[in-house]
Short mmCIF file of all heavy atoms in Angstrom, two decimals:
data_model
loop_
_atom_site.label_atom_id
_atom_site.label_comp_id
_atom_site.label_asym_id
_atom_site.label_seq_id
_atom_site.Cartn_x
_atom_site.Cartn_y
_atom_site.Cartn_z
N PRO Q 132 40.62 56.87 251.00
CA PRO Q 132 40.10 58.24 250.90
C PRO Q 132 40.78 59.04 249.79
O PRO Q 132 40.14 59.83 249.11
CB PRO Q 132 40.40 58.84 252.27
CG PRO Q 132 40.51 57.68 253.19
CD PRO Q 132 41.08 56.57 252.36
N VAL Q 148 36.45 50.90 242.76
CA VAL Q 148 37.14 51.95 243.51
C VAL Q 148 36.17 52.68 244.44
O VAL Q 148 35.09 53.10 244.02
CB VAL Q 148 37.79 52.97 242.54
CG1 VAL Q 148 38.40 54.12 243.30
CG2 VAL Q 148 38.82 52.28 241.68
N LYS Q 149 36.59 52.82 245.69
CA LYS Q 149 35.92 53.67 246.67
C LYS Q 149 36.94 54.70 247.12
O LYS Q 149 37.91 54.36 247.80
CB LYS Q 149 35.45 52.86 247.88
CG LYS Q 149 34.39 51.85 247.57
CD LYS Q 149 34.01 51.08 248.82
CE LYS Q 149 33.01 50.00 248.51
NZ LYS Q 149 32.68 49.20 249.71
N ALA Q 150 36.74 55.96 246.68
CA ALA Q 150 37.70 57.02 247.01
C ALA Q 150 36.98 58.35 247.11
O ALA Q 150 36.07 58.63 246.32
CB ALA Q 150 38.79 57.11 245.95
N ARG Q 151 37.37 59.16 248.06
CA ARG Q 151 36.81 60.50 248.22
C ARG Q 151 37.48 61.47 247.25
O ARG Q 151 36.83 62.28 246.61
CB ARG Q 151 37.01 60.96 249.67
CG ARG Q 151 36.39 62.30 249.99
CD ARG Q 151 36.72 62.74 251.40
NE ARG Q 151 38.15 62.98 251.50
CZ ARG Q 151 38.92 62.54 252.49
NH1 ARG Q 151 38.42 61.84 253.47
NH2 ARG Q 151 40.21 62.78 252.49
N ASP Q 152 38.81 61.39 247.14
CA ASP Q 152 39.58 62.22 246.22
C ASP Q 152 40.30 61.32 245.24
O ASP Q 152 40.96 60.36 245.63
CB ASP Q 152 40.59 63.08 247.00
CG ASP Q 152 39.91 64.04 247.95
OD1 ASP Q 152 38.95 64.70 247.53
OD2 ASP Q 152 40.33 64.12 249.11
N LEU Q 153 40.21 61.67 243.95
CA LEU Q 153 40.67 60.79 242.89
C LEU Q 153 41.46 61.59 241.86
O LEU Q 153 41.03 62.66 241.43
CB LEU Q 153 39.43 60.17 242.23
CG LEU Q 153 39.56 59.22 241.09
CD1 LEU Q 153 40.21 57.93 241.57
CD2 LEU Q 153 38.19 58.92 240.53
N ASP Q 154 42.64 61.07 241.45
CA ASP Q 154 43.47 61.72 240.45
C ASP Q 154 44.08 60.64 239.56
O ASP Q 154 44.94 59.87 240.00
CB ASP Q 154 44.57 62.54 241.13
CG ASP Q 154 45.40 63.36 240.15
OD1 ASP Q 154 45.21 63.21 238.92
OD2 ASP Q 154 46.25 64.13 240.61
N LEU Q 164 37.55 53.51 234.46
CA LEU Q 164 37.34 53.64 235.90
C LEU Q 164 35.95 53.12 236.26
O LEU Q 164 34.96 53.50 235.63
CB LEU Q 164 37.47 55.11 236.31
CG LEU Q 164 37.03 55.50 237.71
CD1 LEU Q 164 37.92 54.85 238.77
CD2 LEU Q 164 37.04 57.01 237.87
N LEU Q 166 33.64 53.20 239.59
CA LEU Q 166 33.49 53.74 240.94
C LEU Q 166 32.38 53.02 241.69
O LEU Q 166 31.33 52.72 241.14
CB LEU Q 166 33.16 55.23 240.89
CG LEU Q 166 34.28 56.18 240.54
CD1 LEU Q 166 33.74 57.58 240.31
CD2 LEU Q 166 35.32 56.18 241.64
N LEU Q 167 32.61 52.80 242.99
CA LEU Q 167 31.61 52.18 243.85
C LEU Q 167 31.12 53.14 244.93
O LEU Q 167 30.37 52.74 245.81
CB LEU Q 167 32.17 50.92 244.52
CG LEU Q 167 32.61 49.79 243.58
CD1 LEU Q 167 33.12 48.62 244.39
CD2 LEU Q 167 31.47 49.37 242.67
N SER Q 168 31.58 54.40 244.88
CA SER Q 168 31.18 55.39 245.89
C SER Q 168 31.15 56.77 245.25
O SER Q 168 31.66 56.99 244.16
CB SER Q 168 32.17 55.37 247.06
OG SER Q 168 33.44 55.83 246.64
N ASP Q 169 30.54 57.71 245.99
CA ASP Q 169 30.57 59.11 245.56
C ASP Q 169 31.99 59.65 245.70
O ASP Q 169 32.76 59.20 246.55
CB ASP Q 169 29.62 59.95 246.41
CG ASP Q 169 28.16 59.61 246.14
OD1 ASP Q 169 27.87 59.08 245.06
OD2 ASP Q 169 27.33 59.90 247.02
N VAL Q 170 32.30 60.65 244.87
CA VAL Q 170 33.63 61.26 244.88
C VAL Q 170 33.47 62.75 245.18
O VAL Q 170 32.60 63.42 244.62
CB VAL Q 170 34.32 61.07 243.51
CG1 VAL Q 170 35.65 61.79 243.47
CG2 VAL Q 170 34.52 59.60 243.21
N ARG Q 171 34.32 63.27 246.06
CA ARG Q 171 34.31 64.71 246.37
C ARG Q 171 35.09 65.48 245.31
O ARG Q 171 34.63 66.48 244.79
CB ARG Q 171 34.91 64.94 247.76
CG ARG Q 171 34.94 66.40 248.17
CD ARG Q 171 35.47 66.61 249.54
NE ARG Q 171 36.89 66.23 249.56
CZ ARG Q 171 37.64 66.25 250.64
NH1 ARG Q 171 37.14 66.57 251.80
NH2 ARG Q 171 38.91 65.91 250.57
N ASN Q 172 36.32 65.05 245.02
CA ASN Q 172 37.17 65.68 244.01
C ASN Q 172 37.68 64.61 243.05
O ASN Q 172 38.19 63.59 243.48
CB ASN Q 172 38.39 66.36 244.66
CG ASN Q 172 37.99 67.50 245.56
OD1 ASN Q 172 37.26 68.39 245.14
ND2 ASN Q 172 38.47 67.47 246.79
N ALA Q 173 37.55 64.90 241.74
CA ALA Q 173 38.04 63.96 240.74
C ALA Q 173 38.77 64.72 239.64
O ALA Q 173 38.29 65.74 239.15
CB ALA Q 173 36.91 63.15 240.15
N ARG Q 174 39.94 64.19 239.27
CA ARG Q 174 40.70 64.72 238.14
C ARG Q 174 41.10 63.53 237.29
O ARG Q 174 41.81 62.63 237.78
CB ARG Q 174 41.94 65.47 238.62
CG ARG Q 174 42.78 66.02 237.48
CD ARG Q 174 43.98 66.81 238.02
NE ARG Q 174 44.83 67.20 236.96
CZ ARG Q 174 45.90 66.48 236.55
NH1 ARG Q 174 46.22 65.37 237.15
NH2 ARG Q 174 46.65 66.91 235.56
N ILE Q 175 40.63 63.48 236.06
CA ILE Q 175 40.93 62.38 235.14
C ILE Q 175 41.46 63.01 233.86
O ILE Q 175 40.76 63.79 233.22
CB ILE Q 175 39.70 61.51 234.87
CG1 ILE Q 175 39.18 60.93 236.19
CG2 ILE Q 175 40.03 60.41 233.89
CD1 ILE Q 175 37.86 60.23 236.07
#
Side-chain angles (χ1 to χ4, degrees):
V148 175
K149 294 179 184 177
R151 184 184 66 227
D152 297 314
L153 180 68
D154 185 354
L164 169 65
L166 285 170
L167 299 181
S168 66
D169 291 338
V170 176
R171 180 178 66 183
N172 295 308
R174 179 178 174 267
I175 301 172

